[in-house]
Amino acid sequence: TSADVVALSTRSGRNPRCLVAFLTAGRPYDLQAPTSGDPGDVLESILRERIASAQREAVRRGTTQSEVGALLAGLAMLPPPVPLDELAAAQGLTAGDIESFATDLAPLLERTRYGLMFRDEPTETLIRQMSEEDPDARRLVIDRLAKRQSLSDYAARALPQVLTATGQVDELVALAFDPALPAGSSEIGKQEIRLARIVAALQATARAGRTDDLFRLSLEAA
């Protein structure tokens, strides 16, 4: 109706993402809050409510709040697209749990043939911010990735990126000398993983001015 059009235009600030979010949520469109303000703030409010709704549904099905937090942290930290089985392993959950949660978060997440990824930048930014507020969940993701170094090619390739993004210099140095490599990888694949580990550690120690570690890592790279 014309009234709906006016309400949607006012609440969304004519921001396309906000408009789609309001249309997806459905009537009534003329709620009093939020009725104005920056479209980015309105969009964040909508996204937070959508994520909170998915969290409540996951908890209702039996997933604990800490597991839900770890799942969001995994989505935020792991390089996309994230295979469902890898995300499940990184969280200690079943593939079915991941499937259900991904469905609850639709359309914020996009599922490709290779795994899950965020559909747009605002969703990714918000979930990254939320994960940064939960250091225990982030630590859990890193610990489980580390335990899967000899089992999963994806985990072995992801861990240096995750440690770099979280500023874990000591862990990067230790990983550079870690002999654990995925048993199923080819020799070339194993060499690529080792080199990625060393390069990530070299970059981190260079930024930190750790010359002793730089010397050891340079020798290892050679």
Side-chain angles (χ1 to χ4, degrees):
T1 67
S2 59
D4 289 337
V5 172
V6 171
L8 287 166
S9 177
T10 302
R11 294 187 69 200
S12 68
R14 298 181 180 271
N15 179 285
R17 295 190 200 281
C18 292
L19 187 57
V20 169
F22 282 126
L23 288 168
T24 301
R27 286 183 171 84
Y29 299 128
D30 58 347
L31 297 178
Q32 292 302 308
T35 58
S36 61
D38 183 82
D41 295 336
V42 176
L43 179 58
E44 180 176 326
S45 176
I46 296 169
L47 292 176
R48 282 188 180 275
E49 177 52 38
R50 188 72 188 85
I51 294 168
S53 176
Q55 289 176 304
R56 289 192 295 269
E57 181 61 25
V59 170
R60 187 189 66 78
R61 286 196 299 262
T63 306
T64 66
Q65 194 64 50
S66 62
E67 288 172 335
V68 172
L71 180 52
L72 288 175
L75 285 169
M77 297 169 67
L78 297 174
V82 186
L84 265 67
D85 57 340
E86 292 291 343
L87 186 57
Q91 313 311 318
L93 300 172
T94 68
D97 292 331
I98 303 299
E99 288 270 14
S100 297
F101 193 71
T103 300
D104 293 336
L105 274 178
L108 304 183
L109 295 179
E110 182 173 353
R111 181 172 180 179
T112 71
R113 60 183 296 185
Y114 302 107
L116 295 173
M117 58 191 300
F118 296 110
R119 178 154 291 183
D120 54 41
E121 187 274 336
T123 301
E124 180 177 3
T125 298
L126 177 58
I127 291 184
R128 286 185 187 279
Q129 290 173 351
M130 294 174 68
S131 74
E132 289 171 1
E133 299 167 1
D134 192 348
D136 291 339
R138 291 165 68 85
R139 185 72 250 174
L140 192 58
V141 171
I142 293 173
D143 290 345
R144 286 185 171 143
L145 272 182
K147 291 176 182 177
R148 288 178 56 77
Q149 292 301 287
S150 60
L151 302 173
S152 164
D153 188 82
Y154 174 86
R157 294 178 184 273
L159 185 55
Q161 299 180 48
V162 171
L163 293 176
T164 297
T166 53
Q168 309 291 317
V169 181
D170 290 337
E171 288 82 352
L172 280 167
V173 173
L175 182 63
F177 297 98
D178 189 345
L181 292 165
S185 293
S186 65
E187 290 305 312
I188 293 176
K190 291 178 181 178
Q191 186 175 359
E192 289 175 346
I193 291 169
R194 288 206 64 221
L195 184 59
R197 291 173 173 177
I198 294 170
V199 168
L202 278 168
Q203 292 172 340
T205 52
R207 286 192 294 268
R210 294 170 51 161
T211 52
D212 288 347
D213 288 324
L214 272 172
F215 182 72
R216 289 198 303 136
L217 290 163
S218 297
L219 287 176
E220 186 71 11

